[in-house]
Amino acid sequence: MKHTAKILLTLLLTFAVAFTACGCTTTPANNDGDTTVTTATTSPAKRTPIAVAGIQGPTGVGLANLMKTAPNSKTIEYSFTIATSPDEVVGKFSSGDVQIASVPTNLAAKLYKKLGGDVQILALNTAGVLYMLENGTSVQSVADLRGKTIYSTGEGANPEYVLRHILKENGIDPDKDVTIEFLAENSELVAKLATGEIDLAMVPEPAATTAMTKNPDLRMALSMDAAWNAVEPDSSMMMGCVIAKKSFIQANTAAITAFLAEYKASVKATSDVDATAKLCADFGIIAAEPIAKKAIPRCNVVFVDGADMKNTIQGYYEILFEADPTSIGGAVPNEDFYFVSK
């Protein structure tokens, strides 16, 4: 009996030690003295903190649904900034305050040069978003722009180079046959179109929709994306992309791969225009939900990653380089500019 008691005692002590080691506890389940075994919850795997910066307008639209679903990510602990200008994003990206940024494609190439090649495009996210608005009916084709004064924003950036290239390819000298007046902000452009102070302007979405809402006499005379495709059928006017530093990508490849999957799903979800419009308004990507509903279908939100990126944008970069080498940092980016998951 003593031997049996010792064995039972030993077994009970062993069980107690094992029970404590596993982090289990016993708690009374009810007044009858029954007990419930509760297994300690294993803390979730640590998520990678990633700060993402977007810009108000088309390049930010693809982020809207991700901003909603971000808390559910199992891999990434997201934070977001929606900036009012590319310059604001450049500062945060260069300093490392943000790890992923949605920026104009020519700016991505400039940063690649500026940061010594420590930048890669993760995906292309925005095609052509420029439209020629007219208060009148005189402009029916690019040829009709000859002799006109065209207002625009984006001096020294994608809009200027797109406009100049399309004019040249249609036999119009942008320095002699037209007058191009650049304004600093789209808000100023919209205000002048709304009051009728100017009658012709190249405007990006969603500013174009805002202007037409304020001035019903305005019409979309030309899609600059269509005008580009007419003269450059073998290249695409890709105006926006998402980038990260190569050093960050190499140190966090799994998180970057997860981001691309989650971002792709977010872009796909923009097909639900009503829901995305509400999110864009809520997150400050587009000022008002009614404007967003009309503008999103014309924002040309896309998702192109992997090996297809270079083939899609290479021709566009070559044209920008020919127009002004400094527009993309002095050289067409090398192969290592494009992130391709292995």
Side-chain angles (χ1 to χ4, degrees):
M1 290 294 290
K2 289 182 178 180
H3 181 68
T4 303
K6 285 183 178 180
I7 293 174
L8 288 173
L9 179 60
T10 301
L11 288 173
L12 287 170
L13 288 172
T14 302
F15 176 75
V17 171
F19 195 69
T20 303
C22 80
C24 301
T25 60
T26 61
T27 56
N30 52 51
N31 293 331
D32 294 329
D34 293 340
T35 60
T36 300
V37 177
T38 306
T39 304
T41 303
T42 304
S43 59
K46 185 177 181 181
R47 298 189 298 168
T48 302
I50 294 183
V52 181
I55 304 171
Q56 289 178 347
T59 59
V61 171
L63 289 171
N65 288 281
L66 177 58
M67 293 173 75
K68 177 186 177 182
T69 61
N72 300 326
S73 176
K74 296 180 179 179
T75 308
I76 302 169
E77 184 179 346
Y78 285 104
S79 60
F80 295 90
T81 297
I82 298 299
T84 57
S85 72
D87 288 344
E88 184 180 345
V89 174
V90 168
K92 291 180 180 294
F93 182 80
S94 298
S95 68
D97 289 342
V98 301
Q99 290 74 52
I100 294 176
S102 180
V103 298
T105 47
N106 77 301
L107 180 55
K110 284 184 174 181
L111 284 169
Y112 172 76
K113 176 69 173 179
K114 179 181 178 181
L115 299 180
D118 189 25
V119 172
Q120 285 187 305
I121 288 185
L122 301 176
L124 303 173
N125 65 11
T126 313
V129 297
L130 297 169
Y131 298 88
M132 194 68 68
L133 300 189
E134 184 190 20
N135 187 348
T137 59
S138 65
V139 176
Q140 300 294 326
S141 68
V142 175
D144 295 330
L145 295 174
R146 186 184 298 273
K148 302 286 189 180
T149 296
I150 304 168
Y151 289 82
S152 181
T153 55
E155 184 175 14
N158 278 330
E160 178 181 4
Y161 301 120
V162 165
L163 177 58
R164 284 181 169 274
H165 184 71
I166 290 173
L167 290 172
K168 286 179 180 178
E169 292 301 307
N170 280 274
I172 299 172
D173 188 329
D175 296 312
K176 296 179 180 179
D177 298 331
V178 297
T179 300
I180 304 174
E181 297 285 351
F182 287 102
L183 302 179
E185 301 287 343
N186 284 322
S187 57
E188 183 182 6
L189 195 59
V190 168
K192 290 181 181 295
L193 284 165
T195 60
E197 184 177 342
I198 60 177
D199 293 325
L200 185 66
M202 187 178 72
V203 191
E205 284 290 9
T209 294
T210 301
M212 289 189 294
T213 300
K214 293 184 175 183
N215 184 350
D217 292 331
L218 291 170
R219 69 180 185 93
M220 279 190 171
L222 300 172
S223 161
M224 303 308 286
D225 191 50
W228 178 278
N229 292 335
V231 298
E232 297 294 343
D234 296 326
S235 73
S236 299
M237 188 167 69
M238 286 290 160
M239 303 188 71
C241 61
V242 283
I243 60 173
K245 288 183 179 177
K246 188 187 302 182
S247 53
F248 182 82
I249 295 170
Q250 291 173 345
N252 301 275
T253 305
I256 290 297
T257 301
F259 164 77
L260 284 171
E262 291 166 0
Y263 182 57
K264 182 177 182 179
S266 179
V267 170
K268 185 178 180 180
T270 62
S271 60
D272 186 341
V273 174
D274 287 351
T276 303
K278 184 180 186 309
L279 292 174
C280 284
D282 290 344
F283 294 132
I285 297 169
I286 296 177
E289 187 176 342
I291 297 296
K293 283 184 180 182
K294 293 180 180 179
I296 287 172
R298 292 193 289 260
C299 282
N300 279 335
V301 179
V302 299
F303 181 90
V304 182
D305 68 341
D308 292 335
M309 279 190 293
K310 180 181 177 182
N311 294 335
T312 303
I313 199 172
Q314 183 79 2
Y316 183 63
Y317 275 144
E318 289 173 353
I319 289 167
L320 292 183
F321 177 79
E322 183 180 346
D324 180 0
T326 64
S327 68
I328 56 171
V332 176
N334 298 324
E335 292 276 350
D336 66 347
F337 182 49
Y338 305 95
F339 171 74
V340 179
S341 180
K342 296 180 181 179

